[in-house]
Amino acid sequence: MGKRVGMEVSIAAAEVVGLCDVDVIAAYPITPQTHIVEHLSELVADGHLDAEFVPVESEHSAMSTCVGAAAAGARTFTSTSSQGYALMAEICYIASSLRLPIVMAVANRALSAPISIWNDHADMMMARDTGWIQTVAENGQEVVDLLLHAYRVAEDPRVLLPVMVNLDGFILSHMIEPIYMPDKEEVQRYLPPYKPALRLDPRNPMTFGPVGMPEVYTEAKKAQDEAMKGALPVIVEAWKEFEKHFGRAYHPVETYKTDGAEILLLTMGSVSETAMTAVDKMRAEGKKVGLVHLRLWRPFPAKELVEALQGAKAIVVVDRAMAFSTQSGPVCVEVKAALFDHGISTYVQNFVAGLGGRDVTVEDFEMMVAKTSDGLAKGLPMTYEIVNVRE
Amino acid sequence: MAKETGIVRWKDLALGCTLMEPGTAAELKTGDWRSMRPVTNRELCIKCGQCYIFCPDMVYSRTAEGYYEANYYYCKGCGICARECPKDAIQMVQEEK
Ligand code: SF4
Ligand code: SF4
C-alpha cells in the first residue's frame, strides 16, 4: 500500500518516476525544474534507484541522451523548463518522429526576454507542434498521477509517442502538498514493463532517422499524425484504468459547476483551482458561471471540448502565454477553431493572464466574467486583452 | 520500406520511418537531388582510380577494361571526383529535365 505524505511536488515527481523503473535519466538543471532531477540524482546515488543518471551539459544533450537511450530500448526520463525547453526543442521533434516513448516533466516557466524564472505557459505552447502528447496538472497529486499515466500511454503499442507532463513552475513545483504516493507494487500493477517495438541492436541492425526524400516525408508525417489522433482514445482508456487502480478520475476535458451555466471560464493548469474558488463565489452571488478545465492539450480534444462548451452564452478563455497572432492567445485560437468546425458561434472573450509569474486572483476571474457578460450584452466585438496591464 | 525509397503508402511505412534492413542506405536514391553529373573522358583518363577513392558515395566501380564508371542512382553531383581527377578527365555537365 502506498501512503499519504506531505511532500514538495518536485520531490514527489522524482519519487514516482523512480517507482516507474526508469533505466536512463538525463538531467540538466534549470529553474524551477531543478529539484526534480536533483532528487532523482539522490535516489540513484543512494542506491534506491537502479538507473543510469546522465548529467549532461545542456538540455539539447538531455533530449539527445533520451532519444539515444530510448532508441536502444530504455525507459527514459528528463525534465526541463522555459529556455531549457527551447534549447532541446530541436531534438523533441526527433523524439516524436522516431516514435520514442520518452516522458518529460516540464515545470512551466516564461520565456525570455526579459529573463523571467516565473510561471506561465510559454514553453508549453512552444511545444505545441512538436508531436508530443501534452497533459496538464492542476495540483501536486495530479503531477504524480499524470507521470504514471504518461508512461502507460507513451509505451502503449498503439501510441508510441513521447509525453510531456506540464506542471506550473514554483506554483506547483515548489509547493509542499499532501500527496498519495503509491508503492512499487501498485505502480507495477498499473504500468507494465516496457517492451520496445523497435530498438537499436547490433545483432539486428536497422537505421533510425534516415533521410526522408520528398517522396516519403509526407507519408511519414501522415503516419505520425494518425498516431496522435489514435492516442486520444488510448489516453482516455489509460485514465479509466487509472481510476480503477487508484480511484482518481481524469478526463481530457473536465467541468466544474457547469450545470445551467451561462458563462463558462476555460483554463489550464493550477490556475483552475483559483478559478473554482471564483466560480464558487460568483455562484453564491447567483451568477450562472461554471468552469471548463482542459486537462489534455495535445492531442487537442476538440469534440469533448465542444460538448462541454456548447449551450453557454459566452466563453471566457484564459490564456497564459502570448501568441502574437493579434487574434487570440494560443488556447483561444484552438477553442475558436473547434467551435467553428462544429458550427457553433458562441461569444468568446479571450484574456491573457498570469504572464511571467503575475498572480491571477479570484478578483481577476470576476473581472473577466463581468467584462465578458458586458461585452455580450452590448454586442462588443470578440477580442483579446492582457489582464491587469498598466496603461 | 519499399526497395526504392518513398514509393510507399503511409500505412506501409515502418514505425518512425525506420529502415529495417541492415545496409539499407542502398535504398537512398541520392541521385535524385543531382543538378550536375560527372562525365569521364576516356581519352584523358589514366585509370588511376582517384575518382573512385574520393567519391563520398562510393559511386564509381571499376570496369573490365580498368576504367571507372559512375552509378547515377547514387551520384549526387557534388563534383569532388572532377576536382580530384589529376588529368581533368571528368567534366561536370548540366542535368537535363
Ligand atoms: S559527383 Fe560526387 S557523388 Fe558524383 S561521382 Fe563525383 S564524387 Fe561521386
Ligand atoms: S581520377 Fe580521372 S584519371 Fe583517374 S581514374 Fe578517375 S577519371 Fe580516370
Side-chain angles (χ1 to χ4, degrees), chain B residues 40 44-51 68 84-87 89-90:
Chain B
T40 306
L44 297 176
C45 176
I46 55 166
K47 305 179 182 177
C48 69
Q50 293 295 306
C51 49
Y68 290 87
E84 295 297 334
C85 172
K87 303 305 284 180
I90 303 176

Side-chain angles (χ1 to χ4, degrees), chain A residues 6-23:
Chain A
M7 206 180 247
E8 188 189 302
V9 173
S10 290
I11 307 298
E15 289 277 337
V16 79
V17 167
L19 291 173
C20 289
D21 270 331
V22 283
D23 302 303

Side-chain angles (χ1 to χ4, degrees), chain A residues 350-370:
Chain A
N350 185 204
F351 294 93
V352 179
L355 293 182
R358 185 76 64 88
D359 247 3
V360 188
T361 63
V362 168
E363 291 71 39
D364 291 333
F365 285 113
E366 289 180 291
M367 175 276 290
M368 292 180 219
V369 168

Side-chain angles (χ1 to χ4, degrees), chain A residues 97 206-207 210 215 219 222 226, chain B residues 6 10 13 16-19 32:
Chain A
S97 303
M206 52 182 86
T207 302
E215 291 88 341
E219 281 67 25
K222 168 76 175 168
E226 288 296 322
Chain B
W10 70 265
L13 278 179
C17 210
T18 299
L19 299 176
D32 265 12

Side-chain angles (χ1 to χ4, degrees), chain A residues 183-362:
Chain A
D183 67 14
K184 186 108 185 176
E185 285 79 63
E186 283 175 297
V187 168
Q188 281 171 342
R189 271 200 296 277
Y190 178 67
L191 181 66
Y194 173 40
K195 286 195 210 74
L198 293 176
R199 67 186 200 91
L200 291 176
D201 176 359
R203 283 160 302 183
N204 178 27
M206 52 182 86
T207 302
F208 280 18
V211 173
M213 300 298 285
E215 291 88 341
V216 78
Y217 189 83
T218 306
E219 281 67 25
K221 290 299 123 179
K222 168 76 175 168
Q224 207 182 333
D225 191 45
E226 288 296 322
M228 185 57 100
K229 283 186 202 159
L232 187 56
V234 181
I235 290 166
V236 172
E237 186 188 300
W239 270 329
K240 279 198 187 124
E241 198 65 27
F242 187 90
E243 191 182 352
K244 272 190 224 152
H245 283 255
F246 298 99
R248 291 183 292 279
Y250 293 97
H251 308 279
V253 176
E254 289 160 15
T255 55
Y256 181 73
K257 298 197 175 171
T258 50
D259 282 349
E262 289 178 357
I263 297 186
L264 287 175
L265 282 162
L266 190 143
T267 53
M268 261 195 328
S270 62
V271 85
S272 294
E273 299 211 328
T274 316
M276 284 180 201
T277 310
V279 166
D280 288 344
K281 187 159 178 253
M282 287 183 274
R283 281 278 182 173
E285 292 159 2
K287 298 191 180 102
K288 291 178 180 158
V289 182
L291 173 72
V292 174
H293 170 73
L294 202 51
R295 162 84 55 218
L296 183 65
W297 174 234
R298 281 291 181 275
F300 189 72
K303 201 170 127 274
E304 295 79 354
L305 189 71
V306 167
E307 271 163 28
L309 293 175
Q310 68 189 3
K313 287 191 179 142
I315 300 161
V316 186
V317 181
V318 184
D319 260 292
R320 289 200 286 149
M322 295 298 292
F324 304 109
S325 76
T326 72
Q327 292 205 107
S328 292
V331 179
C332 191
V333 170
E334 302 259 356
V335 173
K336 284 178 180 171
L339 292 169
F340 181 90
D341 288 348
H342 288 77
I344 299 169
S345 53
T346 313
Y347 189 76
V348 181
Q349 181 66 36
N350 185 204
F351 294 93
V352 179
L355 293 182
R358 185 76 64 88
D359 247 3
V360 188
T361 63
V362 168

